[in-house]
Amino acid sequence: LFFLLTIVAEARKIPHLQKKGTATQLIVEDNPFLILGGELGNSTASSLEDMKRVSEKLQKMQLNTMLVPAYWELIEAEEGKYDYTLVDGAIELARKHNLKIVFLWFGVWKNSMSCYAPMWVKENYLKYPRAVTKSGKSLEILSAFNQNNLEIDKRAFKHFMNHLAEVDKSQQTIIMVQVENEIGMIEDARDYSKEANKLFTSDVPKQLTDYLVKNKQSLRPQLLERWEKNGFKTKGIWTELFGEGLETDELFMAWNYGLFIQEVAQTGKNAYNLPMYLNAALNSRERKPGAYPSAGPLAHLLDIWRASAPAIDFLAPDIYDPGFTDWCKQYQVNGNPLFIPEIRLEDGNAARVFYAFGEHDAMGFSPFFIESPANPEEYPLTKSYKVLRQILPLLAEKQGENKTNGFWFDSEVKERTVERNGYTFTFKHDYTLGWNPLAKDGSKWPETGALIIELSKNEYLVAGTGIVVTFGNTKKDGTETGIGFIDEVEFKDGKMIPLRRMNGDQNHQGRHLRIPTGEWNIQ
Ligand code: N0T
């Protein structure tokens, strides 16, 4: 008599996105993965020497992920011949330094332009035509309306994704891919090539009007207004449905960029089905379409991109402009998760990162040119990442369930109160205490920030830097709310360990919770 046992090792799922309540999480090796990231400078990944130095540094800066360009011009310098020396080198270094990689496909478009197209593409402008302005000037932007341009980007991207599957499916160092970089039309809001003009004066495709009808309740206000002004028409050319003007040029262009990207992304996904997103250069400062990189994956164009490029999982903002919290809000909308693939490298990021994760269920945070700080260990963001690293599993567990808030302060935004379970939590900039000699009114205060996690009705966790918190309740019956006790804690392997009891001067004799400016901790 004998028994036979068959053990089928279930293949590990490749990185993918998964909904959790109102959040969308990136799942890596079967667990939610929050990206403590940074993006490399544009030319860094073209030298393995640089990459070696940099990946070591990023590990010291407590990153868990680096965003690394993959350059079409170097991968396919000769048509149809592919060289992955740099890509493979980056993967090897990432593994060595315990980092994940998000690859940035610098393919047909990079910051509107086509500077990463190989020489054989650039030279052969008859075969691979450029976009043209209204006045007939040729731009260094490969036209989105040309089949040859589409075919070469598709072919190269497919080859690239196939390669990633081959070298990494079993290890999963690569967790996501950005398709192109900051797509956009600039100088004019749309391409005026012959093919483009023809389509502009043809009926708006049914694929788009169907989408608009079906999603009318949730359309971005800018689009809804233009459509409404023209009587919610579903048949007619672009100007008949959306009116005359640069804004309609932009809608048209976004739609057509979307169709192009859909083919590229879907072909890539068929080779290796990793999550894929697009990043946007933002359109602030009241500029009109054409004056900023238009028709890219901008917040006000979310519906157009969704309708035209469903293979793209989400849109992401590159934040260089003022108005950080507002940009976060604009991109965490209608199920689009907030991922910040680029933000200007500034000390304030050490505060902003707490806001992004705490307030907007962010998937990740990633300042640009991350390798440049001189003292990696002393860099402010390093200290925030060190704290966040400890609580990532807890944050992931709470995402999508309204159990967290994030706070961000500077000289203008000094305090904010939130309510939970009948309690009020008033977070303020540490300088509001007036204890710091630099806290004079009128002086520029450093950015500070924190997040709160609800553990249970009466138990909360705060992590951050440069904040003070007081507690009350929403009852109007004279009841007071007080502090039971506060511990500073750390997390080891996801387990909370008390470090010290924060009483006396550390909690102002029971009046508040404080993390002084220039200090980072979890309480
Ligand atoms: C970014 C970076 C890199 C108010 C700029 C930002 C990166 C690209 N573009 O260093 O080129 O590859 O994605 C454009 C933001 C313009 C600044 C607006 C100032």
Side-chain angles (χ1 to χ4, degrees), residues 74-94:
L74 298 182
I75 290 174
E76 199 187 1
E78 210 182 308
E79 183 168 8
K81 297 224 169 91
Y82 300 87
D83 180 346
Y84 292 106
T85 314
L86 294 170
V87 169
D88 294 347
I91 296 172
E92 195 185 313
L93 285 164

Side-chain angles (χ1 to χ4, degrees), residues 39 42 106 110-111 181-182 279 281 285 318 320-321 342 344 368:
E39 179 168 323
N42 287 166
F106 283 11
K110 156 76 172 72
N111 298 28
N181 189 84
E182 293 189 351
N279 66 329
R285 295 174 280 143
D318 292 348
Y320 292 80
D321 296 58
E342 293 183 41
R344 190 195 298 280
F368 181 71

